[in-house]
């Protein structure tokens, strides 16, 4: 059952040093506020998992909290490169970053296997690509019925999945809608689940294409209005495209990055407490 | 082959590329749209040569009808204007791997003479770390499973390389038959549209051949911008310059995107 609790307490209880953590969201509903709480608490040696690591993973990597990244496309969507990610991979700053790299189809299927509690998933993928030479989580399997050789990808089972959604009810049932990405699979694949939401409502009204995660598959729900900013929450906010543009020059420069993190994340007690008191 | 004298045209080489990329979608029913230039081309196609084109984005949108160029692959307008929004595993398994998409439209950081693609890492020379690119994204399976693949990228020796540092996504491998041997369902890349012209695979060798240049571009210029000994078709055509309507539609889309920011 999901406890409705402060973001600070939920992150402290559910995310530990050395964990494998998935913070999913395909451009939409990215759990920025929760990731900033991880930075404030200095939770480190993380293996981060996500199909599309973007600015928030750039921030976690640049803050030196990440040991390994499992992913399929790392960029600033609509803008360009992730400079903190590149600096870690190319120069080992602030620490070396190990990579486990896949295609989108492979990552999506790794989550499906994880949610299904199967050891691996099959797909007609990776053919002719060099990707399998750099990872030990892609192999092949022969179909017992047709003899076709298919790609096999190892299941992903994060210690913790953190997602953002629009609404929860008082019992901790959660609903999200719009682009729902791979969040359901990432949540069901994980041992522990934290969901930040825009608001608590008396009753969840079913939405077309909406996904409901029942309270008994979630550990904690934290109410964090605007917790997806600079990404967005359909029905509540729009994407802050200017922020994604503004991030590029900040992330290019190590000093500018460190200053930004100090001023906007580590010292941002007002924002942190603002989220807690809602 | 005729060349328009430089300086007399009132459109840019990027606009030539984008308009020609859009025209390549004239007869497609469904298009899996990559980020960046492919998205520009696909949205221009909907505004000009193919209003009924079904645009599919890997974020989960099917039949998106945005009124401006999307600012990212997960732009809210793509979802709001779509016929359907599906979860990402469904998009890749049912729609893409299920063989339901005619054309995959991709960009690339590096491409070789067989239209193989690298978007993963680049070699920067001895004693230097590999240069990091974004990674594979959806491209390997888009190139494998779509009926055919179109590519659009700017033409330079940095992008059109003799040898890929890494094969992220297979085009035609090392020649004819390679795709078939790997059991890839789609026909693979059929055209690479650049800011200088159009390259297409030779049916006999699968190697990319220069078949058309844009107005004002010489064959020599394309050769100089290609990192391998470029084969040129017996007769190289010249693409039609953009019509006023095409240019107006492209500029309207781009201006609307800027306003949205």
């Amino acid at each position: 059952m999901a406890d409705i609790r402060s973001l600070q307490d939920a992150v402290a209880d559910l995310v530990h040093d050395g964990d494998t953590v998935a913070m999913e969201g395909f451009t939409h509903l990215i759990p920025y506020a929760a990731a900033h709480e991880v930075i404030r608490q200095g939770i480190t040696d993380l293996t981060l998992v996500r199909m599309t690591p973007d600015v928030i993973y750039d921030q976690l990597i640049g803050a030196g909290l990440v040991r390994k990244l499992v992913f399929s496309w790392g960029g600033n969507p609509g803008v360009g490169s992730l400079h903190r990610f590149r600096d870690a991979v190319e120069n080992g700053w602030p620490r070396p970053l190990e990579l486990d790299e896949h295609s989108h189809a492979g990552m999506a299927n790794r989550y499906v296997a994880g949610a299904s509690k199967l050891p691996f998933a099959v797909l007609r993928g990776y053919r002719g690509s060099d990707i399998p030479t750099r990872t030990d989580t892609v192999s092949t399997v022969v179909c017992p019925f047709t003899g076709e050789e298919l790609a096999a990808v190892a299941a992903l089972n994060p210690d913790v999945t953190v997602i953002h959604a629009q609404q929860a009810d008082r019992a901790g049932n959660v609903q999200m809608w719009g682009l729902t990405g791979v969040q359901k699979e990432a949540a069901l694949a994980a041992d522990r689940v934290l969901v930040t939401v825009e608001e608590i409502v008396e009753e969840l009204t079913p939405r077309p294409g909406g996904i409901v995660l029942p309270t008994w598959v979630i550990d904690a729900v934290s109410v964090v209005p605007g917790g997806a900013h600079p990404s967005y929450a359909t029905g509540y906010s729009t994407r802050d495209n200017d922020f994604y543009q503004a991030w590029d020059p900040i992330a290019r420069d190590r000093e500018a990055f460190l200053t930004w993190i100090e001023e906007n994340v580590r010292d941002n007690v007002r924002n942190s407490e603002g989220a807690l008191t809602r | 082959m005729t060349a328009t004298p430089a300086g007399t045209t009132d459109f840019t080489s990027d606009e030539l590329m984008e308009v020609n990329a859009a025209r390549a979608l004239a007869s497609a029913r469904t298009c899996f749209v990559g980020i960046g230039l492919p998205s520009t081309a696909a949205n221009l196609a909907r505004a000009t040569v193919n209003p009924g084109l079904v645009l599919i984005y890997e974020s989960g949108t099917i039949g998106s009808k945005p009124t401006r160029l999307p600012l990212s692959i997960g732009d809210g307008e793509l979802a709001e204007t779509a016929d359907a929004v599906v979860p990402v595993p469904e998009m890749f398994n049912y729609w893409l791997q299920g063989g339901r998409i005619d054309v995959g439209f991709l960009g690339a950081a590096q491409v070789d003479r067989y239209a193989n693609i690298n978007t993963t890492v680049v070699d920067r020379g001895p004693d230097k770390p590999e240069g990091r690119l974004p990674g594979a994204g959806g491209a390997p399976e888009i190139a494998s499973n779509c009926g055919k693949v179109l590519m659009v990228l700017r033409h330079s020796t940095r992008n059109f390389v003799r040898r890929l540092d890494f094969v992220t996504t297979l085009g035609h491998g090392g020649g004819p038959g390679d795709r078939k041997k790997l059991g890839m369902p789609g026909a693979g890349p059929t055209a690479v549209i650049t800011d200088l012209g159009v390259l297409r695979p030779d049916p006999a060798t699968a190697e990319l051949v220069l078949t058309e240049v844009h107005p004002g571009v010489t064959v020599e210029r394309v050769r100089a911008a290609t990192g391998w000994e470029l084969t040129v078709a017996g007769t190289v055509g010249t693409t039609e310059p953009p019509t006023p309507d095409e240019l107006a539609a492209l500029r309207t889309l781009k201006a609307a995107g800027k306003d949205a920011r």
Side-chain angles (χ1 to χ4, degrees):
Chain A
M1 298 292 283
D3 294 325
I4 297 174
R5 48 197 315 207
S6 76
L7 180 62
Q8 191 174 35
D9 288 353
V11 166
D13 275 1
L14 295 175
V15 189
H16 313 133
D17 286 356
D19 274 355
T20 296
V21 183
M23 301 182 193
E24 273 295 348
F26 214 97
T27 312
H28 181 219
L29 293 176
I30 298 168
Y32 273 87
H36 284 173
E37 186 57 33
V38 168
I39 294 174
R40 273 192 293 274
Q41 295 189 17
I43 303 169
T44 192
D45 295 327
L46 300 172
T47 293
L48 291 185
V49 183
R50 187 155 144 208
M51 289 182 65
T52 54
D54 74 344
V55 168
I56 190 58
Y57 275 27
D58 215 28
Q59 293 173 2
L60 287 154
I61 290 165
L65 304 176
V66 187
R67 183 182 73 76
K68 180 176 177 180
L69 182 67
V70 183
F71 77 112
S72 40
W73 190 89
N76 182 347
V79 180
S81 287
L82 293 180
H83 300 291
R84 292 298 96 228
F85 159 65
R86 285 185 59 170
D87 201 11
V89 174
E90 295 175 3
N91 307 310
W93 192 91
R95 62 190 285 185
L97 182 65
E98 191 186 333
L99 299 180
D100 184 11
E101 191 159 353
H102 283 265
S103 67
H104 278 348
M107 281 292 285
N109 279 287
R110 295 188 71 190
Y111 277 128
V112 169
S116 310
K117 305 298 176 193
L118 285 168
F120 68 92
V122 295
L123 66 153
R124 196 176 279 116
Y126 295 95
R127 292 177 175 183
S129 169
D130 287 339
I131 296 171
T133 66
R134 291 198 171 203
T135 173
D136 55 10
T137 50
V138 179
S139 186
T140 56
V141 66
V142 174
C143 171
F145 305 106
T146 64
E148 182 180 3
E149 189 178 271
L150 296 159
V153 287
L156 268 171
N157 289 106
D159 295 310
V160 198
T161 287
V162 182
I163 55 176
H164 187 76
Q166 281 97 340
Q167 295 177 341
D169 64 18
R170 293 192 187 283
N173 299 294
V174 164
Q175 183 171 223
M176 69 185 79
W177 64 91
L179 293 172
T180 53
V182 75
Q183 283 98 309
K184 178 157 97 176
E185 289 75 13
L188 295 179
D191 289 345
R192 303 185 291 278
V193 180
L194 165 61
V195 185
T196 56
V197 295
E198 290 290 323
E199 65 170 339
I200 299 274
V201 295
E202 287 307 316
E203 196 173 347
L204 295 176
T205 307
R207 304 261 175 175
I211 283 174
V212 172
L213 289 172
T215 180
W216 44 271
V217 300
I218 299 168
D219 293 275
V221 170
S222 300
V223 185
V224 189
H229 181 268
S231 84
Y232 67 108
T234 295
Y236 288 81
S237 59
T238 54
R239 189 171 186 262
D240 185 350
N241 291 303
D242 290 338
F243 180 89
Y244 285 88
Q245 295 276 335
W247 181 250
D248 191 83
I250 296 166
R252 271 180 197 275
D253 183 83
R254 289 175 184 175
E255 287 306 315
F257 165 78
L258 291 171
T259 303
W260 190 91
I261 287 286
E262 281 306 316
E263 290 177 355
N264 295 279
V265 181
R266 290 211 177 96
D267 292 345
N268 201 340
V269 179
R270 187 177 56 82
N271 263 6
S272 167
E273 287 178 351
L276 297 182
T277 54
R278 295 197 188 250
Chain B
M1 188 185 66
T2 56
T4 309
T8 64
T9 52
D10 56 358
F11 41 81
T12 69
S13 56
D14 268 10
E15 287 174 333
L16 276 168
M17 168 173 62
E18 290 154 351
V19 165
N20 277 281
R23 289 172 183 165
L25 287 167
S27 62
R29 183 183 52 177
T30 50
C31 180
F32 203 110
V33 186
I35 201 164
L37 287 170
S39 180
T40 304
N43 281 287
L44 179 58
R46 268 198 71 250
T48 55
V49 293
N50 192 346
L53 180 65
V54 177
L55 303 187
I56 298 168
Y57 284 84
E58 64 195 13
S59 55
T61 70
I62 299 176
S64 294
K65 293 168 275 292
T67 55
R68 54 171 170 79
L69 291 181
L71 301 174
S72 83
I73 211 87
D75 194 307
E77 206 194 0
L78 293 176
E80 287 154 20
T81 61
D83 297 328
V85 178
V86 303
V88 164
E90 174 180 328
M91 174 57 72
F92 282 97
N93 287 348
Y94 302 173
W95 298 94
L96 180 60
Q97 187 172 267
R100 293 183 165 85
I101 303 173
D102 293 341
V103 179
F105 213 142
L106 300 174
Q110 285 187 333
V111 61
D112 72 7
R113 67 173 71 206
Y114 293 108
N116 302 302
I117 297 171
N118 175 21
T119 52
T120 303
V121 288
V122 287
D123 187 350
R124 293 193 297 199
D127 306 323
K128 286 195 178 148
E130 284 180 334
R132 184 64 229 188
L133 303 170
E141 286 81 19
I142 293 171
S144 176
N145 292 311
C146 288
K148 66 177 184 179
V149 175
L150 298 171
M151 294 171 58
V152 57
L153 68 159
R154 291 186 187 89
H155 212 131
S156 79
T157 51
R158 241 178 107 224
N159 302 338
F160 285 75
V161 298
R162 179 176 297 279
R163 196 184 143 276
L164 291 185
D165 298 323
F166 187 96
V167 179
T168 308
T169 299
L170 197 79
H172 292 290
D178 275 14
R179 291 183 61 89
K180 207 164 199 175
K181 262 182 260 162
L182 289 165
M184 296 173 113
T190 56
V192 180
I193 299 135
T194 80
D195 50 345
L196 300 182
V198 182
L199 293 79
R200 301 178 201 276
D202 181 308
T205 64
E207 184 175 328
L208 290 174
V209 169
L210 179 66
T211 55
E212 289 144 275
V213 289
H214 294 320
V217 175
T218 63
V219 170
E220 290 64 40
R221 193 168 149 212
V222 186
R223 279 205 168 112
T226 306
W228 67 84
E229 199 95 341
L230 180 65
T231 304
V232 175
T235 310
V236 176
T238 304
T239 62
E240 290 293 320
T243 65
D245 285 354
E246 285 171 324
L247 273 182
L250 177 58
R251 290 169 182 172
T252 301
L253 278 171
K254 287 188 173 178
K258 283 204 182 76
D259 290 346
R261 197 176 298 291

